[in-house]
Amino acid sequence: DASSELVLSNSAQMSESGVKGNTEMAAMKVWLNNLGLINVNRIHDLFAAVKDGLLLLKVLDFMSPGCVNWKKAELKPNHKIKRISNCSLAVDIAKKPGFFFSLVGVGGSDIYEGNRKLTMSLLWQMRRWQLLHFLKTIFQKSGREGSSTRSSSSKRRGSTSSLSSAFDENIVMDWANSTVEAAIKDRGFPDGSQRLFSEKKKQKGMCSISSMKDDSLSTSVFYLLLLWAKRPFSVNWRFVTPGSNADQKSLNAKYAITVARKIGVSVFVLPEDLVKLRPKMVLVFLGALLGIDSTPAEDRASGDAE
């Protein structure tokens, strides 16, 4: 009957909302846990970790060194008032020049009390700011200019327009494509990977991408080719699948992230970011791989030896 259909519809919406919420928290924990903060325990419960404000202050100071006046911070927030004070300080800093985050209606008590919507609003803006500056740093170290050199009319499908004001994502794609192409031309396809690269697949462009939403990226094979191109012995191709279905795509994405971390790449993405072709996170992952270029030769050699 109608009432039963309504209940089922509401249940489905709640389930979908719950899955989305869990994904958002997982993404946030991955980001925080991979910042490399000193003397910070691994985060499992996101809202418990930020409620005393100290973690927020450490992250903000990591993002923009010197932005926190530690004389005003409560370094031992063992009381509600001290915790709210830290949270309020973090919100205040986030609103000031340097960040200018939009935090209308957000107060320190909201963070302390675990207000999900307002806390995530602050965290998402912090995450986006840090990832953007992470990419800028990668560009600078690799000797590539971050400013956009192409007109907006030249943007391809899947363009991450919100980031294009900082640099041209086409630079990342051109670098990735040329790196893979040069490696294949120089060394041929990786040993053990022949089953993945039939002539038909090569002709379809499995070894190059045209945008951050290129369908071939969902298999993560291109990322693994890029990792292999930079570190020939980093990828064990026996573990790589053709990416023909959802399970295979997920396995490849997880393996690509594992390999990247193993060789020292800062990884801020989830496997599903790569499988579902989320353009901003694809750009972040490719940008992180771009950073391999700026690693000193002796470090790369020692990394391969391991």
Side-chain angles (χ1 to χ4, degrees), residues 188-237:
F189 281 89
D191 291 338
S193 70
Q194 288 76 8
R195 60 192 167 81
L196 303 172
F197 302 107
S198 65
E199 288 302 320
K200 186 176 181 181
K201 287 182 178 178
K202 292 175 190 176
Q203 292 169 4
K204 283 185 177 181
M206 283 268 305
C207 307
S208 65
I209 58 174
S210 59
S211 79
M212 296 296 159
K213 292 204 73 172
D214 192 302
D215 291 337
S216 66
L217 279 173
S218 67
T219 69
S220 292
V221 172
F222 182 79
Y223 301 124
L224 290 161
L225 272 175
L226 188 52
L227 287 161
W228 162 80
K230 300 309 300 177
R231 302 283 183 87
F233 303 106
S234 63
V235 179
N236 186 335
W237 290 94

Side-chain angles (χ1 to χ4, degrees), residues 233-252:
F233 303 106
S234 63
V235 179
N236 186 335
W237 290 94
R238 292 181 300 171
F239 298 148
V240 183
T241 74
S244 303
N245 55 50
D247 288 340
Q248 289 187 356
K249 289 178 179 179
S250 180
L251 286 172
N252 282 356

Side-chain angles (χ1 to χ4, degrees), residues 228-293:
W228 162 80
K230 300 309 300 177
R231 302 283 183 87
F233 303 106
S234 63
V235 179
N236 186 335
W237 290 94
R238 292 181 300 171
F239 298 148
V240 183
T241 74
S244 303
N245 55 50
D247 288 340
Q248 289 187 356
K249 289 178 179 179
S250 180
L251 286 172
N252 282 356
K254 290 176 182 176
Y255 185 52
I257 288 173
T258 297
V259 172
R261 283 182 175 146
K262 186 176 180 181
I263 64 175
V265 175
S266 296
V267 178
F268 299 106
V269 301
L270 294 169
E272 63 189 73
D273 291 329
L274 306 183
V275 173
K276 294 184 178 181
L277 298 176
R278 291 170 178 152
K280 293 177 184 178
M281 300 316 294
V282 168
L283 176 58
V284 166
F285 189 53
L286 283 173
L289 300 185
L290 172 64
I292 300 174
D293 251 4

Side-chain angles (χ1 to χ4, degrees), residues 86-96 103 106-108 111 122:
N86 278 347
C87 292
S88 298
L89 179 60
V91 170
D92 185 50
I93 292 170
K95 290 179 179 179
K96 290 182 176 179
L103 296 169
V106 180
I111 309 297
L122 171 59

